[in-house]
Amino acid sequence: MDASPVKRRRRNAALEQAILGVAWAELLDHGYAGLTLAGVASRAGTSRTVLARRWAGKADLAVAAVQYELDQRPFGSPDLGNLRAELLDYLQRLGGLADVIDLTFSMLLDASFRETYTSPQALRDVLMGGRQNVFATLMARAARRGELNPARLTGTVVPLLNDLMGHYVLLHRTPPDPTLCAAWVDEIFLPLVGAVPNQKV
């Protein structure tokens, strides 16, 4: 008797994970516009009523599916002892999320989605809730090593690499070539933050 509530919670957790996995697959296959609660329920082998108990609507289910997918791809910032190397590693890892970036852009372009998530920042706040700000960690570490001028880390400069990646993925629907990422780092970002020259790797 005592074990039954635990088993029930496990079943519920497993069902929720299955639904979110299916919702992510549906987003990949059909985009946000083609995502339907009925389609997800059918593919997950459950009912629309079950989905309605967990998510208020299509937008919330889509965001939960993106969060679930992000959880499957841990994104860290290893200490490589070199700002340039860490920036290139960061961009490579970020490029690995090109499908997630592409989908979130497509969601934001949908008028019905914006009725729930009214701005890119609102969506970002939800997706980043409780997650480490990897880029901020990287910048703080480089500042401690004396590799950049913290005064140069303005609100315009800090998001620049993320914005470049986002715009590239939006236009091309694929991650940029490593050569282009190196150009962003060497020719744009490092000069802007007053970086101490370090050996290219």
Side-chain angles (χ1 to χ4, degrees), residues 44-78:
T46 186
S47 70
R48 187 169 175 171
T49 301
V50 169
L51 271 65
R53 291 196 198 108
R54 289 166 167 79
W55 298 283
K58 172 178 166 176
D60 287 333
L61 174 60
V63 170
V66 173
Q67 290 176 307
Y68 175 77
E69 183 62 20
L70 288 173
D71 288 341
Q72 311 312 303
R73 310 188 203 180
F75 191 151
S77 175

Side-chain angles (χ1 to χ4, degrees), residues 108 113-123:
L108 286 166
F113 181 83
R114 294 197 304 274
E115 292 176 3
T116 304
Y117 296 89
T118 56
S119 69
Q121 188 60 49
L123 177 58

Side-chain angles (χ1 to χ4, degrees), residues 75 77-78 80 82-94 134-135 138-139 141-142 145 148 158 161 165 181-182 184-186 188-191 193 195 198 201:
F75 191 151
S77 175
L80 302 178
N82 178 296
L83 174 57
R84 181 179 185 272
E86 290 175 5
L87 288 171
L88 294 176
D89 176 77
Y90 174 83
L91 288 174
Q92 180 182 13
R93 292 169 185 267
L94 189 60
V134 175
F135 193 78
L138 191 158
M139 289 294 97
R141 191 164 58 221
R145 291 194 300 238
L148 55 77
V158 169
L161 288 177
M165 178 66 75
C181 291
W184 290 347
V185 169
D186 294 332
I188 300 175
F189 191 78
L190 290 180
V193 298
N198 49 35
V201 293

